[in-house]
Coordinates of all heavy atoms in Angstrom, one line a residue:
T155 N -6.0 4.0 -9.7 CA -5.6 3.3 -8.5 C -6.0 1.8 -8.6 O -7.0 1.4 -9.2 CB -6.2 3.8 -7.2 OG1 -7.6 3.8 -7.3 CG2 -5.8 5.3 -7.1
V156 N -5.2 0.9 -8.0 CA -5.5 -0.5 -7.8 C -5.2 -0.8 -6.4 O -4.2 -0.5 -5.8 CB -4.5 -1.3 -8.7 CG1 -4.7 -2.8 -8.4 CG2 -4.8 -1.0 -10.2
Q157 N -6.2 -1.6 -5.8 CA -6.0 -2.0 -4.4 C -5.2 -3.3 -4.4 O -5.5 -4.3 -5.0 CB -7.3 -2.2 -3.7 CG -8.2 -1.0 -3.6 CD -7.4 0.2 -3.1 OE1 -6.8 0.1 -2.0 NE2 -7.2 1.3 -3.9
V158 N -4.0 -3.2 -3.7 CA -3.1 -4.4 -3.7 C -3.7 -5.4 -2.6 O -3.9 -4.9 -1.4 CB -1.7 -4.0 -3.3 CG1 -0.8 -5.2 -3.2 CG2 -1.2 -3.0 -4.4
P159 N -3.9 -6.6 -2.9 CA -4.5 -7.5 -2.0 C -3.5 -7.9 -0.9 O -2.3 -7.9 -1.1 CB -4.8 -8.8 -2.8 CG -3.9 -8.7 -4.0 CD -3.8 -7.2 -4.3
V160 N -4.0 -8.0 0.3 CA -3.2 -8.3 1.5 C -3.7 -9.7 2.1 O -4.9 -9.8 2.3 CB -3.2 -7.2 2.6 CG1 -2.4 -7.7 3.8 CG2 -2.7 -5.9 2.0
K161 N -2.8 -10.6 2.2 CA -3.2 -11.9 2.8 C -2.1 -12.4 3.7 O -0.9 -12.4 3.4 CB -3.4 -12.9 1.7 CG -3.9 -14.3 2.2 CD -4.2 -15.2 1.0 CE -4.7 -16.6 1.5 NZ -4.9 -17.5 0.4
D162 N -2.5 -12.7 4.9 CA -1.5 -13.3 5.9 C -0.4 -12.3 6.1 O 0.8 -12.7 6.2 CB -1.0 -14.7 5.5 CG -2.1 -15.7 5.4 OD1 -3.1 -15.5 6.2 OD2 -2.1 -16.6 4.6
G163 N -0.6 -11.0 6.2 CA 0.4 -10.0 6.5 C 1.3 -9.7 5.3 O 2.3 -9.0 5.5
R164 N 1.0 -10.2 4.1 CA 1.8 -9.8 2.9 C 1.0 -9.2 1.8 O -0.2 -9.6 1.6 CB 2.5 -11.1 2.3 CG 3.6 -11.6 3.3 CD 4.6 -12.5 2.5 NE 5.5 -11.7 1.7 CZ 6.6 -11.1 2.2 NH1 6.9 -11.2 3.5 NH2 7.4 -10.4 1.4
A165 N 1.5 -8.2 1.2 CA 0.9 -7.5 0.1 C 1.6 -7.9 -1.2 O 2.8 -7.7 -1.3 CB 0.9 -6.0 0.2
Q166 N 0.9 -8.5 -2.2 CA 1.5 -9.0 -3.4 C 0.7 -8.5 -4.6 O -0.5 -8.6 -4.6 CB 1.6 -10.5 -3.4 CG 2.5 -11.0 -2.2 CD 2.5 -12.6 -2.2 OE1 1.4 -13.2 -2.3 NE2 3.6 -13.2 -2.0
W167 N 1.5 -8.0 -5.6 CA 0.8 -7.5 -6.8 C 1.8 -7.4 -7.9 O 3.0 -7.1 -7.7 CB 0.2 -6.2 -6.5 CG -0.4 -5.4 -7.6 CD1 -1.6 -5.7 -8.3 CD2 0.1 -4.2 -8.2 NE1 -1.8 -4.7 -9.3 CE2 -0.8 -3.8 -9.2 CE3 1.3 -3.5 -8.0 CZ2 -0.6 -2.7 -10.0 CZ3 1.5 -2.3 -8.8 CH2 0.6 -2.0 -9.8
T168 N 1.4 -7.5 -9.2 CA 2.2 -7.3 -10.4 C 1.7 -6.2 -11.2 O 0.5 -6.2 -11.5 CB 2.3 -8.6 -11.2 OG1 2.8 -9.7 -10.4 CG2 3.2 -8.4 -12.4
A169 N 2.5 -5.2 -11.5 CA 2.1 -4.0 -12.2 C 1.9 -4.3 -13.7 O 2.7 -5.1 -14.3 CB 3.2 -2.9 -12.0
T170 N 1.0 -3.6 -14.3 CA 0.7 -3.7 -15.8 C 0.5 -2.3 -16.3 O -0.1 -1.5 -15.7 CB -0.5 -4.6 -16.1 OG1 -1.6 -4.0 -15.4 CG2 -0.3 -6.0 -15.6
G171 N 1.0 -2.0 -17.5 CA 0.7 -0.8 -18.2 C 1.1 0.5 -17.6 O 0.2 1.3 -17.2
G172 N 2.4 0.7 -17.4 CA 2.8 2.0 -17.0 C 3.7 2.0 -15.7 O 4.0 0.9 -15.2
E173 N 4.0 3.2 -15.2 CA 4.8 3.3 -14.0 C 3.8 3.6 -12.8 O 2.9 4.4 -12.9 CB 5.8 4.5 -14.2 CG 6.8 4.4 -15.3 CD 7.7 3.2 -15.1 OE1 8.2 3.0 -13.9 OE2 7.9 2.4 -16.0
W174 N 4.1 2.9 -11.8 CA 3.2 2.9 -10.6 C 4.0 3.3 -9.3 O 5.2 3.0 -9.3 CB 2.5 1.6 -10.4 CG 1.6 1.2 -11.5 CD1 2.0 0.7 -12.7 CD2 0.2 1.2 -11.6 NE1 0.9 0.4 -13.5 CE2 -0.2 0.7 -12.8 CE3 -0.8 1.6 -10.6 CZ2 -1.6 0.6 -13.2 CZ3 -2.1 1.5 -11.0 CH2 -2.5 1.0 -12.3
T175 N 3.3 3.8 -8.3 CA 3.9 3.9 -7.0 C 2.9 3.2 -6.0 O 1.7 3.5 -6.0 CB 4.0 5.3 -6.6 OG1 4.9 6.0 -7.5 CG2 4.6 5.4 -5.2
V176 N 3.4 2.3 -5.2 CA 2.6 1.6 -4.2 C 2.8 2.3 -2.9 O 3.9 2.5 -2.4 CB 3.0 0.1 -4.1 CG1 2.2 -0.6 -3.1 CG2 2.8 -0.6 -5.5
Y177 N 1.7 2.6 -2.3 CA 1.7 3.3 -1.0 C 1.1 2.3 0.1 O 0.0 1.8 -0.1 CB 0.8 4.5 -1.0 CG 1.3 5.6 -1.9 CD1 1.0 5.6 -3.3 CD2 2.1 6.6 -1.4 CE1 1.4 6.6 -4.1 CE2 2.5 7.7 -2.2 CZ 2.2 7.6 -3.6 OH 2.7 8.6 -4.4
V178 N 1.8 2.1 1.1 CA 1.3 1.4 2.3 C 0.9 2.4 3.3 O 1.7 3.2 3.8 CB 2.4 0.4 2.9 CG1 1.9 -0.3 4.1 CG2 2.9 -0.6 1.8
V179 N -0.4 2.4 3.6 CA -1.0 3.4 4.5 C -1.3 2.8 5.8 O -2.0 1.8 5.9 CB -2.2 4.1 3.9 CG1 -2.8 5.1 4.8 CG2 -1.9 4.7 2.5
E180 N -0.8 3.4 6.9 CA -1.0 2.9 8.3 C -1.7 4.1 9.1 O -1.5 5.2 8.8 CB 0.3 2.5 8.9 CG 0.9 1.3 8.3 CD 2.2 0.9 9.0 OE1 2.7 1.7 9.9 OE2 2.7 -0.2 8.7
H181 N -2.3 3.6 10.2 CA -2.7 4.6 11.2 C -1.6 4.7 12.3 O -1.0 3.6 12.6 CB -4.1 4.3 11.8 CG -4.1 3.0 12.6 ND1 -3.7 2.9 13.9 CD2 -4.6 1.8 12.2 CE1 -3.9 1.7 14.3 NE2 -4.5 1.0 13.3
A182 N -1.4 5.8 12.8 CA -0.3 6.0 13.7 C -0.6 7.2 14.7 O -1.4 8.1 14.3 CB 1.0 6.3 13.0
F183 N 0.0 7.1 15.9 CA -0.1 8.3 16.8 C 0.8 9.4 16.2 O 2.0 9.2 16.1 CB 0.3 7.9 18.2 CG -0.7 7.0 18.9 CD1 -0.5 5.6 19.0 CD2 -1.9 7.5 19.4 CE1 -1.4 4.8 19.7 CE2 -2.8 6.7 20.0 CZ -2.6 5.4 20.2
K184 N 0.2 10.5 15.9 CA 0.9 11.6 15.4 C 0.2 12.9 15.8 O -1.0 13.0 15.6 CB 1.0 11.5 13.8 CG 1.9 12.5 13.2 CD 2.2 12.1 11.8 CE 3.3 13.1 11.2 NZ 3.7 12.7 9.8
T185 N 0.9 13.9 16.2 CA 0.3 15.1 16.7 C 0.7 16.3 16.0 O 1.8 16.4 15.4 CB 0.7 15.3 18.2 OG1 0.0 16.4 18.7 CG2 2.2 15.5 18.4
S186 N -0.1 17.3 15.9 CA 0.3 18.7 15.6 C 1.3 19.1 16.6 O 1.2 18.8 17.8 CB -0.9 19.6 15.6 OG -1.9 19.2 14.7
P187 N 2.3 19.9 16.2 CA 3.2 20.5 17.2 C 2.5 21.3 18.3 O 1.5 22.0 18.0 CB 4.2 21.3 16.4 CG 4.0 20.9 15.0 CD 2.6 20.4 14.9

């Protein structure tokens, strides 16, 4: 894993060495049914 830096509301990063997936994780109101 690599932590993508966030500055002024933007996440910017350049991938090296392989195939990657970038995940943006948020907190949200979400309930069990």
Side-chain angles (χ1 to χ4, degrees):
T155 61
V156 172
Q157 298 312 300
V158 176
V160 177
K161 184 177 180 180
D162 299 328
R164 292 202 74 81
Q166 296 176 317
W167 173 74
T168 300
T170 59
E173 299 297 315
W174 299 75
T175 302
V176 177
Y177 294 86
V178 178
V179 179
E180 294 182 351
H181 63 82
F183 288 104
K184 189 167 187 175
T185 184
S186 303

